[in-house]
Amino acid sequence: MSHLKVYQYPKCSTCRSAVKWLKEQGHELELQHIAEQPPTVEELRVLVADSGLPLKKFFNTSGEVYKELALKDKLAGLSEDEQLELLAGHGMLIKRPVVTDGKKVTVGYKEEQYKEAWSSAE
């Protein structure tokens, strides 16, 4: 199977489930602690582009930091650069896990999505 980079928070049960599933599929994983070492603005730019998802899908809207910063009301008014800066500056703002093989990206964990994205990976 392939080498995947996983931006994750080790205490997050969703991340643990995703990592377990990926390991069971035989993937070699490079785990990066999303709070201690969040992706940079440039890394995020590439991840967003490769994911095909709108930038807002990268925000952990149910997290404490999102609520503390009152982003529900502010996010729409921020530029893309400002949103990327926020994500890069607050790893816990990023919806997790983020998984990439350098070509495609998944955000969050749903087993069906993972089967489609990561089962047939070479």
Side-chain angles (χ1 to χ4, degrees):
M1 284 286 158
S2 60
H3 177 88
L4 303 176
K5 184 164 191 173
V6 182
Y7 296 91
Q8 52 104 35
Y9 184 62
K11 293 179 181 165
C12 167
S13 60
T14 304
C15 291
R16 288 196 306 264
S17 297
V19 166
K20 179 177 185 269
W21 190 91
L22 291 167
K23 284 182 177 175
E24 287 170 356
Q25 304 306 308
H27 293 286
E28 183 184 318
L29 305 180
E30 176 188 341
L31 302 176
Q32 184 163 325
H33 194 301
I34 206 159
E36 293 175 359
Q37 192 183 355
T40 65
V41 169
E42 286 312 310
E43 286 173 313
L44 283 163
R45 241 184 250 289
V46 171
L47 291 168
V48 172
D50 290 349
S51 74
L53 297 169
L55 179 55
K56 68 181 180 189
K57 293 287 189 187
F58 277 75
F59 281 85
N60 176 10
T61 56
S62 59
E64 289 300 312
V65 178
Y66 188 87
K67 292 173 182 154
E68 285 169 15
L69 296 175
L71 291 176
K72 182 178 183 223
D73 303 320
K74 295 179 186 169
L75 201 56
L78 297 176
S79 71
E80 182 177 310
D81 285 341
E82 289 170 323
Q83 291 180 40
L84 290 167
E85 290 282 346
L86 266 176
L87 290 171
H90 302 278
M92 295 303 278
L93 263 181
I94 301 171
K95 185 172 175 76
R96 54 192 184 266
V98 176
V99 181
T100 183
D101 62 0
K103 296 188 256 333
K104 66 183 168 202
V105 174
T106 55
V107 179
Y109 173 65
K110 289 191 173 72
E111 191 169 330
E112 285 305 308
Q113 174 196 28
Y114 271 45
K115 282 180 182 172
E116 194 176 303
W118 307 120
S119 282
S120 59
E122 299 301 313

